[in-house]
Amino acid sequence: MLKPDFKEAKKRTKKEIKVLKNEYVIPEKIKNVGINKKYYIKTYGCQMNEHDSEMISAILEDLKYTKTEDYTCADLIILNTCAIRENAHNKTFGMLGRIKHLKQTKPNLMVGLAGCMSQEESVVNKIISDYKWMDFVFGTHNIHKLPQILKQAIESKQLEVNVLSNEGNVIEGIPSKRASKYKAWVNIMYGCDKFCTYCIVPYTRGKQRSRMKDDIINEINDLIKQGYKEVTLLGQNVNAYGKDFKNISYNMKDLLLDVAKTKIERIRFVTSHPWDFTDEMIDVIAKYDNICNYIHLPVQSGSNRILKLMGRRYTKESYIELYNKIKDKLGENCSITTDIIVGFPGETDDDFNETLKLVNECKFDSAYTFIYSPREGTPAAKMKDDVSLEVKQKRLYQLNEVINKYAKMKNDKLVGKTVPVLLEDVSEKSKSMLAGYTDTMKLVNVKADKKYLGKIVNVKITDAKTWSLDGEINE
Ligand code: 5AD
Ligand code: SF4
């Protein structure tokens, strides 16, 4: 049994990060284990988890399992979990309750836990004591070992816990079964070294490890050959890309430049931390048309006092300066979105008003807003949390009102304009419509024939709502 250990997970030594290329191996004994069997994956949380689930799917299909969207029909269920807030935990445990019932009627059903919750000591202890009926737990560092872990669980018929808390390496060569045929996630780095005081990610995802440039570019060239139109470069803090290289001088600006030169039609990247956002990066984004005019730039709070307690390493003033610089260089039409936390320990009305002031100044295109959730093991969890839930909820509501006002205002400005949209799916609104995104990441529902799927087409915007636009093809 290998259990996670937060003390180990917190360590950041100077040890060189290894790139391991031959770690994904399927043991002969289980290479056909999934024949006539179905798997179901439930993914919680961020894009990183979405992409991890694409890898888990590919591994299971290498083992000959086929996918089902209905967990009650599955022979193998994996929950790929998120640890960022308490409600993510609650959703997982709620689902495990339903699966437990299912397993009572299907004793051969195998059930596994993956993702960030698996990296939490307290969660794994709870699984070991109260969820013995589960079959396996693996973490974010050893997805490639899933065949071996599954084999062990099948052979031992006991709960197999296999979670690493070392700083981690970069593992290449894990297959991926991508959910979309047109846009793809591409990891450029793993982990995070920022240790914002509220955040669990540096513990669950480990030390910052950047992938080598050639591995990233080869992956993107391969995606282009397969017909992909868009890549999103993924990392917890993508601007810090390359900072962990020992003898190589190559950073996010260099990578963006090289990715732009592959000529893939659209490039996005998430998530950016304002600390590492350089002028050179902005210049490259401005210069290349295939780098989307869309920046997700989490601010978290508009109060300098709270930003300091959060360990964010910038002030409200320096954030606004960066914001204005991006707008100046990319043009007024570029879109900037953000993340904001309300109710951080000790947040006063004055602090919250500073956040509202910042939102009124920046007028974000949209924002993800959250009530602070204490995460065990983080420094903020030890701070006195004296803001009542009622106040936190009131602040969230008030903040959302302002955010929504600006989101609608930005969308209204697009009515009558013609913008390129990558049509990627049938619209959730109506089967006779397609849906896609502008390069500024606005969702558009378009009256269009299915022949346009996977194409970037000019769309005239006819109507604006808070969270989406309507449009028609304008060729
Ligand atoms: N409580 C609430 N929100 C959080 N986030 C990260 N940790 C917490 C927490 N403990 C939010 C931040 C981050 C986004 C992904 O989730 O805003 O940018
Ligand atoms: Fe968490 Fe992002 Fe801060 Fe890293 S930079 S600790 S992932 S909020």
Side-chain angles (χ1 to χ4, degrees):
M1 185 176 293
L2 274 173
K3 290 204 309 182
D5 176 342
F6 259 24
K7 261 205 208 97
E8 278 300 309
K10 201 156 76 176
K11 274 190 194 158
R12 294 294 186 267
T13 65
K14 298 233 175 313
K15 248 187 2 216
E16 186 146 22
I17 294 151
K18 287 194 206 108
V19 180
L20 304 172
K21 300 215 168 186
N22 301 307
E23 291 289 294
Y24 174 60
V25 181
I26 296 181
E28 186 62 27
K29 239 179 142 177
I30 65 156
K31 69 174 206 239
N32 293 321
V33 69
I35 288 182
N36 295 327
K37 291 197 183 125
K38 295 198 180 92
Y39 74 93
Y40 171 87
I41 299 184
K42 175 85 186 157
T43 310
Y44 301 90
C46 66
Q47 297 99 328
M48 192 78 72
N49 262 18
E50 295 282 346
H51 189 35
D52 284 352
S53 284
E54 293 181 334
M55 296 190 198
I56 294 170
S57 285
I59 295 173
L60 294 176
E61 294 192 15
D62 276 356
L63 296 173
K64 318 273 190 328
Y65 284 92
T66 47
K67 189 171 186 149
T68 173
E69 301 292 343
D70 177 359
Y71 79 97
T72 62
C73 298
D75 301 285
L76 170 65
I77 297 178
I78 292 181
L79 303 188
N80 189 10
T81 61
C82 168
I84 202 113
R85 282 171 293 275
E86 192 57 35
N87 63 353
H89 268 211
N90 296 342
K91 280 187 205 157
T92 295
F93 282 114
M95 184 68 184
L96 280 177
R98 291 192 287 282
I99 296 171
K100 184 181 179 185
H101 280 291
L102 184 66
K103 186 144 167 146
Q104 278 157 0
T105 59
K106 285 176 86 170
N108 291 331
L109 172 67
M110 304 265 317
V111 183
L113 193 81
C116 287
M117 276 173 71
S118 301
Q119 295 287 151
E120 290 185 275
E121 251 176 275
S122 56
V123 169
V124 172
N125 286 336
K126 186 166 163 174
I127 298 284
I128 292 167
S129 64
D130 304 344
Y131 292 76
K132 288 191 189 70
W133 55 269
M134 290 185 67
D135 298 283
F136 58 100
V137 178
F138 64 105
T140 56
H141 294 295
N142 58 355
I143 290 174
H144 60 290
K145 290 289 181 200
L146 176 56
Q148 285 73 9
I149 293 165
L150 198 58
K151 177 171 171 282
Q152 190 64 30
I154 293 168
E155 285 171 359
S156 74
K157 296 195 172 66
Q158 275 176 10
L159 173 62
E160 166 72 9
V161 175
N162 194 327
V163 182
L164 309 175
S165 294
N166 56 359
E167 292 174 310
N169 299 308
V170 171
I171 312 288
E172 291 295 341
I174 312 179
S176 181
K177 184 171 186 277
R178 299 183 189 272
S180 165
K181 284 192 286 195
Y182 318 119
K183 54 181 204 180
W185 311 113
V186 175
N187 283 326
I188 62 167
M189 61 189 297
Y190 306 95
C192 179
D193 290 348
K194 282 283 181 284
F195 287 100
C196 301
T197 57
Y198 52 82
C199 186
I200 194 95
V201 168
Y203 308 83
T204 59
R205 292 271 168 183
K207 175 175 164 158
Q208 167 170 333
R209 289 107 65 208
S210 300
R211 284 180 78 196
M212 302 303 283
K213 167 207 156 183
D214 286 347
D215 293 321
I216 298 169
I217 299 296
N218 288 344
E219 183 173 340
I220 294 172
N221 280 328
D222 199 42
L223 288 165
I224 296 172
K225 272 192 217 131
Q226 293 173 48
Y228 279 85
K229 298 275 163 41
E230 180 178 309
V231 290
T232 301
L233 310 179
L234 280 184
Q236 302 295 346
N237 172 17
V238 289
N239 316 65
Y241 171 82
K243 284 191 157 190
D244 49 300
F245 290 148
K246 287 278 179 290
N247 301 309
I248 311 167
S249 162
Y250 189 82
N251 60 27
M252 185 60 178
K253 171 241 335 166
D254 303 314
L255 181 67
L256 276 176
L257 200 97
D258 283 327
V259 176
K261 287 181 186 159
T262 65
K263 300 243 168 39
I264 181 105
E265 289 185 55
R266 279 184 169 184
I267 301 153
R268 303 187 190 281
F269 53 95
V270 281
T271 282
S272 297
H273 187 298
W275 175 260
D276 296 303
F277 216 109
T278 62
D279 288 5
E280 291 86 354
M281 258 184 73
I282 308 175
D283 290 337
V284 173
I285 301 165
K287 184 167 168 202
Y288 287 89
D289 284 346
N290 56 348
I291 306 180
C292 291
N293 274 332
Y294 162 68
I295 315 277
H296 185 61
L297 195 65
V299 65
Q300 313 296 4
S301 169
S303 152
N304 284 338
R305 197 180 71 82
I306 297 293
L307 285 172
K308 197 155 186 204
L309 288 172
M310 286 176 162
R312 289 292 289 180
R313 312 174 191 206
Y314 55 83
T315 59
K316 170 190 176 177
E317 291 75 20
S318 63
Y319 180 91
I320 292 175
E321 193 186 320
L322 173 62
Y323 181 97
N324 289 333
K325 212 177 331 180
I326 295 172
K327 283 270 170 186
D328 280 350
K329 291 197 177 175
L330 301 192
E332 224 1 78
N333 289 340
C334 88
S335 120
I336 303 184
T337 57
T338 199
D339 289 347
I340 297 173
I341 298 174
V342 299
F344 188 81
E347 186 188 65
T348 62
D349 282 341
D350 283 349
D351 291 319
F352 177 63
N353 284 332
E354 288 292 302
T355 298
L356 289 180
K357 262 201 334 229
L358 177 129
V359 171
N360 280 318
E361 188 159 346
C362 292
K363 303 182 178 61
F364 294 103
D365 286 74
S366 92
Y368 296 100
T369 55
F370 311 100
I371 288 181
Y372 167 72
S373 173
R375 308 317 295 135
E376 201 181 317
T378 61
K382 296 194 193 82
M383 297 177 193
K384 192 162 171 248
D385 187 1
D386 52 4
V387 189
S388 72
L389 182 62
E390 195 191 342
V391 169
K392 287 177 185 171
Q393 283 167 337
K394 223 170 84 191
R395 285 182 189 162
L396 185 70
Y397 182 83
Q398 212 182 334
L399 176 63
N400 284 342
E401 293 276 288
V402 186
I403 294 286
N404 294 351
K405 180 179 88 183
Y406 291 118
K408 175 77 164 64
M409 217 170 83
K410 295 278 165 106
N411 280 350
D412 280 342
K413 275 194 182 165
L414 287 170
V415 176
K417 300 228 163 73
T418 296
V419 287
V421 176
L422 169 55
L423 292 171
E424 58 188 59
D425 220 333
V426 173
S427 163
E428 284 181 8
K429 238 174 98 169
S430 149
K431 282 206 173 110
S432 63
M433 292 175 102
L434 300 181
Y437 289 87
T438 63
D439 84 322
T440 53
M441 204 64 180
K442 313 259 183 218
L443 174 64
V444 193
N445 291 299
V446 186
K447 272 186 235 134
D449 189 272
K450 285 211 176 71
K451 72 175 184 200
Y452 289 106
L453 268 179
K455 303 211 159 58
I456 298 176
V457 289
N458 285 328
V459 172
K460 184 171 178 191
I461 304 301
T462 52
D463 195 16
K465 321 233 167 21
T466 305
W467 302 118
S468 67
L469 300 159
D470 287 340
E472 51 199 35
I473 291 191
N474 185 10
E475 277 181 311

